[in-house]
Amino acid sequence: MTVDTIPPIILTQLNYLLTHSPYSIKVEQMWSGSKPPGFLDRFTLLIPFCLDYIKWDVIYNAQFPLLPPDVIFGPEDESFRPYPVGREGELVAKNSLSDWNCKDPTRLLSLIHELRSLYMAYQKKRVGEVDDERLKFEINTMYSREGIEMYMSSGVDKPEEVKFAVPLLEMDLNKMVAGSTWRHQQKIYLQVIYPVSRKYLAMASAPRLKLISSPELKALFSIDEFRLPSWLEGMCMAEYLPTLEEMLESQIRDAVSSIEVRRKFITALAIPFGRPVEADPVFCRKATFLACSGVFTFLVHFTLPLQFPRQQPALMLQSSQHFHSGNAPIKSAILQDYPWSPRWDVAQMAERIFDYLVDECLNFKKHCNEVLVQQR
């Protein structure tokens, strides 16, 4: 984004939207509405909704930046009319456009959030009108849950489906991790996709299920390695969710506890290696130590898996004296073929790794020298 070609009033509102929205809204593209192209006064927003993104074009007019922008929705949402219009084009109710103030940097944020909320109600109404008894039953059983989003997907070349995004767990994941710098609230959702059936089915098939989490949560917990409980015959979502949430909560608490286990291991490494040059203080997934063998000095990078100590750390050596022709430091391959047992205490783990590296660093030094010879 070229900042100096965006009108200041528009830039201020856009920056406020991107930095203060609880949703991870992104700008896909920006362009100019004038000919020849001048100020960038139009942009496409990617707005998270129902575990996907909806694209809305926000159209300002650089020649009249005091006016509110127009918002153009996607072609599949032609029937979405967020603001009812009264006689003679008058808006029947006060809203973020009718109450526009170009000097208020929060106005674009208020507008997009208001439209997103109205869009959520619009999709909920569309789903509620689907002539599918099973879907109506499932919706009724989940109405008590807060924060559920739903989306009706249909088209000429694709089957009709209803997608649900069901937020899981009431625990505050951000507060569970001491020192976390997560800007957005971390969430885990169950994506549920039902095909729309106009017929009565005595035994309906299971919906398509998938766990999806905030991207930053992978530093604590791997959604991809979580095994969903089986969907039993005749089951409904209201029966399925409590079992799923119980399993998730147990594994997340274990993941939080494992941070302290990794922290103790990094602390134990400081006994043979000395204090780390760098270490991850929040999740304790990485640490780097400076080591030497005679006059040969090198760095030892530790990467600790989420399944530590069941899975051993990955090691990599980096010379502080040998460099490739492009001035990049010479590094070893990932090292994991060393003595390890998850039953050892952390002091023994650290000692065995140190003993292993006493010999391995000589092989690495030889490799570094060979690389330098090849570069001559």
Side-chain angles (χ1 to χ4, degrees):
M1 181 186 307
T2 307
V3 175
D4 59 358
T5 58
I6 306 173
I9 289 178
I10 299 175
L11 178 62
T12 299
Q13 294 192 16
L14 179 58
N15 282 340
Y16 191 91
L17 168 71
L18 298 178
T19 56
H20 289 80
S21 174
Y23 310 108
S24 299
I25 297 176
K26 304 174 183 177
V27 176
E28 183 182 58
Q29 61 176 335
M30 297 195 74
W31 69 98
S32 172
S34 60
K35 293 183 179 180
F39 288 111
L40 300 178
D41 56 0
R42 305 175 179 209
F43 46 88
T44 300
L45 293 179
L46 296 178
I47 304 167
F49 181 78
C50 205
L51 304 178
D52 203 342
Y53 287 97
I54 49 178
K55 294 184 180 183
W56 291 349
D57 292 336
V58 179
I59 310 298
Y60 282 90
N61 188 331
Q63 294 182 350
F64 304 97
L66 304 187
L67 296 178
D70 291 326
V71 180
I72 300 177
F73 310 113
E76 69 280 4
D77 293 318
E78 291 182 354
S79 60
F80 177 43
R81 299 287 186 269
Y83 300 135
V85 179
R87 294 179 180 180
E88 298 181 1
E90 293 294 330
L91 294 174
V92 298
K94 193 173 183 180
N95 55 62
S96 293
L97 282 179
S98 63
D99 192 32
W100 188 259
N101 179 0
C102 65
K103 297 180 181 179
D104 183 352
T106 70
R107 299 314 299 166
L108 180 60
L109 173 69
S110 299
L111 173 63
I112 296 301
H113 280 207
E114 182 176 89
L115 289 174
R116 188 185 184 281
S117 179
L118 293 170
Y119 185 78
M120 185 162 56
Y122 159 76
Q123 286 292 345
K124 187 175 182 179
K125 183 174 182 292
R126 287 189 70 202
V127 172
E129 294 172 347
V130 173
D131 184 19
D132 184 318
E133 292 302 320
R134 182 194 185 185
L135 267 173
K136 291 180 179 179
F137 173 76
E138 291 285 8
I139 293 171
N140 288 334
T141 62
M142 292 191 290
Y143 260 135
S144 60
R145 282 186 166 258
E146 293 185 4
I148 291 181
E149 295 182 353
M150 54 191 77
Y151 179 82
M152 177 72 184
S153 173
S154 60
V156 177
D157 57 345
K158 57 183 178 181
E160 285 187 319
E161 294 180 331
V162 171
K163 180 191 299 183
F164 293 92
V166 184
L168 302 174
L169 305 176
E170 294 183 357
M171 61 175 64
D172 189 331
L173 299 178
N174 291 45
K175 291 182 178 179
M176 293 182 69
V177 180
S180 166
T181 57
W182 288 325
R183 187 167 73 90
H184 295 286
Q185 187 66 38
Q186 299 303 298
K187 290 285 188 179
I188 299 177
Y189 298 87
L190 179 66
Q191 182 187 74
V192 188
I193 300 178
Y194 289 98
V196 175
S197 175
R198 309 289 179 179
K199 304 176 184 177
Y200 172 76
L201 299 175
M203 191 57 64
S205 59
R208 301 204 305 275
L209 305 172
K210 184 179 180 181
L211 274 185
I212 298 176
S213 72
S214 313
E216 299 92 341
L217 194 63
K218 64 183 180 181
L220 170 69
F221 180 73
S222 175
I223 285 293
D224 295 335
E225 295 182 8
F226 180 85
R227 294 188 62 182
L228 287 168
S230 300
W231 181 279
L232 303 178
E233 192 173 285
M235 180 176 270
C236 70
M237 191 56 57
E239 297 171 305
Y240 184 80
L241 291 176
T243 301
L244 170 61
E245 289 186 308
E246 183 179 344
M247 293 173 59
L248 259 179
E249 181 172 348
S250 174
Q251 293 195 25
I252 288 175
R253 292 193 183 280
D254 288 345
V256 173
S257 298
S258 69
I259 294 176
E260 189 58 30
V261 177
R262 295 194 293 270
R263 191 187 309 279
K264 290 179 179 178
F265 172 70
I266 292 174
T267 301
L269 286 171
I271 297 174
F273 287 95
R275 293 185 63 179
V277 175
E278 187 176 18
D280 170 13
V282 178
F283 301 102
C284 301
R285 297 286 308 280
K286 294 181 180 293
T288 297
F289 295 84
L290 182 63
C292 66
S293 174
V295 296
F296 176 52
T297 58
F298 57 97
L299 296 171
V300 185
H301 300 288
F302 288 82
T303 302
L304 282 64
L306 291 173
Q307 296 77 20
F308 177 90
R310 181 164 51 87
Q311 292 182 9
Q312 66 196 94
L315 313 180
M316 186 180 68
L317 308 185
Q318 174 184 325
S319 176
S320 59
Q321 300 168 258
H322 303 80
F323 299 86
H324 291 287
S325 53
N327 289 328
I330 298 176
K331 300 178 181 180
S332 73
I334 299 298
L335 306 174
Q336 287 185 302
D337 188 19
Y338 58 85
W340 181 263
S341 172
R343 292 182 293 275
W344 294 339
D345 61 37
V346 291
Q348 186 175 6
M349 292 174 181
E351 290 172 4
R352 297 294 290 268
I353 290 176
F354 184 84
D355 292 342
Y356 164 78
L357 289 178
V358 168
D359 294 327
E360 184 60 31
C361 73
L362 298 178
N363 296 329
F364 178 56
K365 179 181 178 181
K366 180 180 178 182
H367 167 71
C368 292
N369 289 330
E370 290 173 348
V371 170
L372 292 182
V373 169
Q374 292 173 3
Q375 291 178 169
R376 290 173 184 167

